[in-house]
Amino acid sequence: MSLAHGRHYLAIPGPSVIPDRVLGAMHQPAPNIYTGDLVEMVDGMVPDLCRVARTDGKVAIYISNGHGVWEAALANVVTPGEKVLVLATGRFAEGWGVVAASLGIEVEVLDFGQQAPVDPAQVEARLRAYGAWTIRAVLVAQTDTATSALSDIAAIRAAMDAACHPALLMVDCIASLACDRFEMDLWGADVMVAGCQKGLMTPPGLGFVFFNDKAAARRSAMSRVSAYWDWVPRTEAGMFYQLFSGTAPTHHLFGLREALTMILEEEGLEAVWARHQVLADAIRAACRAWGAGGPLRLNMVDLAASSNAVTALHIGAPHGTRLRDWLSAHAGVTLGIGLSTGDDDPEGHGLFRIGHMGHVNAHMVLGMLGTIEAGMRALKIPFGDGALSAAAAVCAGQDQ
Ligand SMILES: *Cc1c(COP(=O)(O)O)cnc(C)c1O
């Protein structure tokens, strides 16, 4: 007997749960890609994407995942032989650095470990040690999806300004966009990369590079940029096909249109952020209560530095893997695997992650937490009392 039959909840940190409405919007015949409804729809989507990013800048859309836009963004503003500074808080800015190195870019990593956000003071000190222009760009992930560390982008900008350093600030919001508050213009990010499959609730396949005038000026000064990655024709297209450097990803665009309507017109971006905040607070409250009587621990202890899109947890090997397996076999919930960089648990069997990004509501989160508790009971993993009441209290708007 299994209790898994019924609607499955994919609680991993991307791809996220796809709303039926987004799937429904994709279920239609092939459209004309030269004129008509599709062309008009994309015209309207470009400003909506910029609203989600909180920018008056531009956005180039790529048929790609997050790794693709890592490369796209770099290809427009950094030349092989130039240097970037990677601010590492887990796995993902480091991954962007690996892509940079493969393009012949010199990479220096400032590592903040696996349980802390970026420390802006260290960024300032490092940049002061360099002359202007020796570092072309600073690369950071707002939310690192491996550790759930959330870094303060405005504070990093302030540190760069304090060091009077002209480097571009390039931010990976692939996990955080439309989950954690992000203000591209207000916070001074020059380039931001995102994908459609996390907070934007659309099947994987679209990547976005947002950029401001400073980054555009840097692009203009590049001696050459690969035709496919070049963001200029994608943002100043005379012909519709130039927006995508070829055939448009028609059905992904239909899905994304529906998702943007849900986020911007129906719920509202501020309300989307607030919902993610409360649901993440509920998860963290439950985890703290469990941890008071057992091995479960939040990876990020500091609430201000914890993402509202994903929660990374320690439970001791092999309990992470056993719990994930139990939930998917018996409860209809798939939890995220742990991404380990530690030597003590190289396979990450003592870790797991909860994805709570995008199309997630109170009953999904409370149900998911209830099944984690059932799993710990079934597997005889000790835990503290009161976790589910604590989470319910957060959802009810009551103080802990
Ligand atoms: C998911 C993710 C990526 C990678 O995206 P892919 O679509 O898997 O290439 C990069 N950065 C962050 C912060 C992510 O969460």
Side-chain angles (χ1 to χ4, degrees), residues 13 65-68 70 92 141 143-145 172-175 197-198 357:
N65 58 17
H67 284 67
W70 275 345
F92 287 86
T143 285
D144 189 299
T145 320
D172 171 345
C173 291
I174 297 169
Q197 79 273 26
K198 298 193 186 181
M357 45 179 55

Side-chain angles (χ1 to χ4, degrees), residues 280-298 313 369 372-373 376 381-394 400:
D281 282 342
I283 290 167
R284 292 184 286 250
C287 292
R288 279 193 299 273
W290 283 327
L296 189 83
R297 296 282 177 273
L298 289 163
L313 293 149
L369 293 171
I372 289 178
E373 185 159 312
M376 290 193 292
I381 302 167
F383 58 86
D385 290 336
L388 300 178
S389 319
V394 174
Q400 289 293 293

